[in-house]
Amino acid sequence: MVDLHSATMDQLFRAIMSLETLEECYAFFEDVCTIREIQDMAQRFDVAVMLEKGYSCQRISEETSISTATICRVRKCLNYGDGGYINAIEKLKQAEKRNK
């Protein structure tokens, strides 16, 4: 993967980490990204969750109409990436358990 580390990226990620509510996240991302970019990120994360649950690429494609190219890219990141998807999925699971 490409090394994205820079002072500018650090500032962006610190800003994201400082957001405390869903509404703050919606407002920030709607200002920073296009609606399509937000939808694409959400779609990729949804694919990662489905892959982590053991869904096949074919099933994901059939159920979501997401292209197999996108599914394969996310699967590649899950298997060979920096662990970002897995870490986020695990943290989401932990948060859901705490909120039950």
Side-chain angles (χ1 to χ4, degrees), residues 19 21-33 38:
L19 302 173
T21 67
L22 281 175
E23 286 308 311
E24 287 180 351
C25 288
Y26 274 99
F28 178 79
F29 281 94
E30 286 178 18
D31 283 351
V32 173
C33 302
I38 298 167

Side-chain angles (χ1 to χ4, degrees), residues 48-97:
V49 169
M50 294 173 85
L51 287 168
E52 194 271 337
K53 287 180 179 178
Y55 287 38
S56 70
C57 294
Q58 184 65 30
R59 180 175 175 193
I60 295 169
S61 181
E62 289 170 359
E63 289 186 15
T64 64
S65 300
I66 296 170
S67 73
T68 54
T70 297
I71 297 166
C72 289
R73 183 185 185 287
V74 172
R75 184 178 60 195
K76 180 180 175 186
C77 289
L78 276 173
N79 293 332
Y80 306 109
D82 292 329
Y85 279 124
I86 295 298
N87 187 43
I89 291 167
E90 289 304 317
K91 287 185 183 278
L92 188 59
K93 286 180 186 177
Q94 292 169 7
E96 288 171 352
K97 285 180 184 177

